[in-house]
Amino acid sequence: MKFINYLESISGISIYPMASLILFSVFFVGAAFWAFKADKEMVDQISKIPLERDDSHSL
């Protein structure tokens, strides 16, 4: 028996794909809204973090 047959036999299982789609959409819209409304200086500072040299962790 395939796995999909087990899922189809569970009552109310169809709510989970819809809930996950809604949760993803809310998160994506929130992240996009924050990205467009964020302070440009903060975004510039955050974008340079991986490029900064930190000598305290040298090998």
Side-chain angles (χ1 to χ4, degrees), residues 3 6-7 9 14-15 17 26 28-30 35-37 43 50-51 54:
F3 185 70
Y6 292 115
L7 292 178
S9 67
S14 62
I15 191 69
V26 167
F28 182 79
V29 168
F36 285 116
K37 294 295 181 180
V43 173
L51 302 176
D54 185 14

Side-chain angles (χ1 to χ4, degrees), residues 12-21:
I13 195 73
S14 62
I15 191 69
Y16 292 108
M18 186 58 67
S20 63
L21 177 64

Side-chain angles (χ1 to χ4, degrees), residues 11-52:
S11 62
I13 195 73
S14 62
I15 191 69
Y16 292 108
M18 186 58 67
S20 63
L21 177 64
I22 291 171
L23 183 65
F24 170 76
S25 299
V26 167
F27 178 79
F28 182 79
V29 168
F33 181 75
W34 176 84
F36 285 116
K37 294 295 181 180
D39 183 34
K40 301 303 178 198
E41 290 180 20
M42 181 185 68
V43 173
D44 188 45
Q45 182 181 7
I46 291 172
S47 69
K48 292 179 181 177
I49 289 175
L51 302 176
E52 292 177 355

